[in-house]
Amino acid sequence: MMTVNDLNYAAASAADERANSLRHWIGLITALVDVVMVLAIVTGTSVAYHLYAYGDFGNSKITLELASMIAAIFVFINALRGRYQLANYLSTKGQIASAFTVWNMAMVAFIAFVFLAKIVDHYSRVVVIVTYLAGIPLVALARSGIVRAVSMASKTGRITSERVFLIGRESEVMSFVSRHQPWNIGFSIVDVAFLRSNDARRINDPAAALAADLATASARARDLKPDAVFIALPWADQETIDACVDAFMNLPVAIHMTPERIMDRFDNPHIVRVGSLASLRLTRPALTFAQVVFKRIFDICAASVILVASLPLLLLIALAVRLDSKGPVLFLQRRFGFNQEPFRIFKFRTMTTTDDGAVIRQATRGDPRITRVGRFLRRYNLDELPQLLNVIAGQMSLVGPRPHALAHDREYQRKIALYARRHNVKPGITGWAQVNGLRGETDTDEKMARRIAYDHWYIDNWSFWLDLGILLRTLFSPAAFRNAG
């Protein structure tokens, strides 16, 4: 537990480090790294291609021209998107996706430029294509390296992202510091001012005592020249907050409210303004309307192609199921879909039973109810193929949390916190949990909780590329076939 003395020591250490001006150069340094990286990628690609194809190094002037053009476009787009701000390099989250997005935009902009300028034939198409492909991993790797270096430097005090003055009651200030440890994201605490709440002067004349505390604090802040003032008070204490804001509005600093505890639960709380109404948005739907439409279009197209292509296989499986044991070819069972709307899922029957009641016994490894053909189908996920019909009907997606029987849903919803959150997106034929080996029997609550944690991660980090990766891993990764029964 951090003490007031520890905080004062941290503030003193930060004061010693405030002369560190490296943070002002981070944007230029990272831009130069990007320039060097792109120049190296284009030059290396061009030289390698010309040596392989023609036995020489190629035209150095054209190579330099091409490299400079792509580098300039890449840096320009990064600058427009605000990617060269220090705050963007203090966390690895989203960095690779952002670098990949900018790299794609840069290459599209380059192709559009040379097309409009009618100089397409001036550059080798092979060099451009290979440059793009080579740049995907190299740009991501370079960006990841920069982020790790900057993040480590900020945590060890070598780089200061922001010089902060803290003010509030002692309990709130210490709670904020203990929970968030701001020095780990590059904040330097230049000073701390506690608002007194238990001395006689405040009890007798609270307004005068508060005014005196704030006058002293604002004078200290003016001398220390921080970048920002953080007010650590409960948001309900509007009168004191207003007084603090009024005291520091006359200083050239940014004024922040420290977050309430509820915000610690969410990765991306966001202030949303609609007309004159401003609200703190803690969550949003898992997918935006545009993402829902894009995912749906992909589902329909891909599922239709797979269904048509696999039709001979489906007929063979249907015949095998029919000949192997008595019962229907298809097994229909009620499952929860998006927003817990029930639907009937299609599967090839793999067991001698077709339970769909209030109590459903899970299949276990070596379960005698599983047929000979059923064991083979479950081993290679082939029993799931009829769910392509559920996808085309809009009840499921190709990728999403796997739907469970209603009886199991109701049982685990009582046992696992936020279990039903997995229904915030459409269920999938395959999912993030399944390609990480979390499939088959869940004979303990801990196994199911781990599977649900993977489902929640998928919901929070959805992207088209994640879906594509899951589909590829479903086909080629051994983990996707693990624990089948």
Side-chain angles (χ1 to χ4, degrees):
M1 175 67 71
M2 174 164 284
T3 66
V4 175
N5 288 335
D6 294 331
L7 187 54
N8 289 337
Y9 175 77
S13 299
D16 293 337
E17 292 289 336
R18 66 177 181 266
N20 183 356
S21 60
L22 184 58
R23 62 190 174 122
H24 299 299
W25 295 93
I26 286 296
L28 179 60
I29 292 171
T30 51
L32 288 174
V33 169
D34 281 349
V35 169
V36 172
M37 173 193 63
V38 175
L39 290 176
I41 292 172
V42 178
T43 302
T45 299
S46 179
V47 169
Y49 168 68
H50 283 93
L51 281 174
Y52 176 78
Y54 305 108
D56 58 39
F57 292 100
N59 188 319
S60 59
K61 182 179 179 181
I62 292 178
T63 298
L64 181 59
E65 185 180 298
L66 174 64
S68 300
M69 193 180 306
I70 295 176
I73 294 172
F74 184 70
V75 171
F76 178 71
I77 294 174
N78 271 299
L80 281 182
R81 290 166 60 90
R83 299 307 304 173
Y84 293 127
Q85 298 175 12
L86 177 58
N88 292 321
Y89 295 90
L90 298 175
S91 171
T92 57
K93 185 174 182 180
Q95 289 293 338
I96 293 178
S98 174
F100 177 68
T101 298
V102 175
W103 182 244
N104 284 331
M105 294 172 65
M107 295 306 294
V108 169
F110 166 76
I111 293 170
F113 174 78
V114 296
F115 175 78
L116 293 174
K118 297 182 179 180
I119 54 173
V120 175
D121 295 332
H122 193 58
Y123 304 109
S124 167
R125 292 177 178 83
V126 174
V127 171
V128 172
I129 293 171
V130 177
T131 292
Y132 168 71
L133 295 175
I136 293 173
L138 293 176
V139 166
L141 190 63
R143 183 58 51 84
S144 179
I146 294 172
V147 170
R148 290 181 184 277
V150 173
S151 179
M152 184 61 67
S154 69
K155 291 179 180 179
T156 56
R158 293 185 177 89
I159 297 177
T160 298
S161 64
E162 197 158 23
R163 300 175 64 252
V164 172
F165 185 96
L166 290 177
I167 185 168
R169 297 192 184 93
E170 182 177 328
S171 59
E172 278 83 23
V173 170
M174 300 310 299
S175 174
F176 165 70
V177 169
S178 297
R179 279 165 28 225
H180 297 281
Q181 300 183 0
W183 47 85
N184 283 335
I185 54 173
F187 282 12
S188 266
I189 304 173
V190 298
D191 205 353
V192 183
F194 293 126
L195 298 176
R196 292 168 290 178
S197 57
N198 56 0
D199 60 8
R201 185 164 60 101
R202 175 169 287 281
I203 294 172
N204 295 332
D205 192 352
L210 177 61
D213 287 347
L214 291 175
T216 302
S218 61
R220 283 159 56 189
R222 188 179 296 278
D223 291 337
L224 291 169
K225 299 181 176 63
D227 299 308
V229 172
F230 276 67
I231 302 171
L233 290 168
W235 289 7
D237 192 355
Q238 191 62 51
E239 184 178 346
T240 308
I241 291 172
D242 284 339
C244 290
V245 170
D246 290 341
F248 290 100
M249 280 285 283
N250 295 320
L251 274 64
V253 296
I255 300 175
H256 298 259
M257 287 296 302
T258 57
E260 294 277 61
R261 280 185 178 272
I262 185 64
M263 295 174 66
D264 296 347
R265 292 180 55 187
F266 303 97
D267 290 334
N268 192 29
H270 186 68
I271 298 294
V272 175
R273 182 176 290 277
V274 180
S276 61
L277 172 66
S279 62
L280 176 65
R281 187 185 69 196
L282 299 177
T283 67
R284 67 169 181 82
L287 278 67
T288 65
F289 176 77
Q291 290 170 338
V292 169
V293 172
F294 182 80
K295 187 174 171 72
R296 179 67 183 138
I297 292 172
F298 176 76
D299 280 341
I300 292 174
C301 295
S304 300
V305 170
I306 296 171
L307 187 63
V308 171
S310 62
L311 192 57
L313 176 62
L314 293 173
L315 294 175
L316 281 174
I317 294 174
L319 180 62
V321 172
R322 171 66 73 182
L323 295 175
D324 183 54
S325 61
K326 294 180 179 180
V329 170
L330 292 179
F331 167 49
L332 276 66
Q333 190 179 67
R334 290 173 300 161
R335 305 282 173 101
F336 276 140
F338 175 71
N339 199 30
Q340 288 192 318
E341 295 177 1
F343 70 98
R344 289 194 180 273
I345 194 171
F346 295 103
K347 299 181 71 172
F348 281 121
R349 183 177 56 82
T350 60
M351 304 176 74
T352 57
T353 60
T354 55
D355 297 338
D356 191 22
V359 177
I360 298 177
R361 187 179 131 207
Q362 279 197 43
T364 58
R365 185 176 294 276
D367 197 316
R369 297 174 299 165
I370 300 176
T371 64
R372 288 173 301 172
V373 170
R375 197 170 304 282
F376 176 82
L377 297 180
R378 293 167 74 93
R379 176 67 182 85
Y380 295 101
N381 300 326
L382 296 174
D383 58 321
E384 315 287 359
L385 284 176
Q387 290 160 41
L388 292 167
L389 297 172
N390 292 115
V391 173
I392 294 171
Q395 298 159 336
M396 293 180 65
S397 176
L398 288 174
V399 181
R402 283 293 300 155
H404 301 144
L406 296 194
H408 297 155
D409 267 337
R410 294 184 178 114
E411 176 188 355
Y412 286 113
Q413 195 166 338
R414 295 192 301 268
K415 296 179 178 180
I416 300 174
L418 297 177
Y419 173 90
R421 184 167 173 256
R422 66 199 307 274
H423 302 301
N424 288 355
V425 296
K426 286 182 182 180
I429 296 178
T430 185
W432 181 239
Q434 283 63 45
V435 297
N436 282 281
L438 299 174
R439 63 187 294 258
E441 182 182 4
T442 50
D443 52 348
T444 66
D445 292 348
E446 289 72 22
K447 286 183 180 179
M448 180 60 79
R450 189 161 175 242
R451 181 183 293 184
I452 300 310
Y454 273 77
D455 291 339
H456 288 174
W457 187 92
Y458 169 80
I459 292 170
D460 291 333
N461 295 274
W462 181 87
S463 71
F464 171 72
W465 302 108
L466 177 61
D467 273 6
L468 202 58
I470 290 172
L471 289 172
L472 292 173
R473 288 179 63 176
T474 299
L475 295 174
F476 302 113
S477 172
F481 301 95
R482 194 183 302 150
N483 300 323

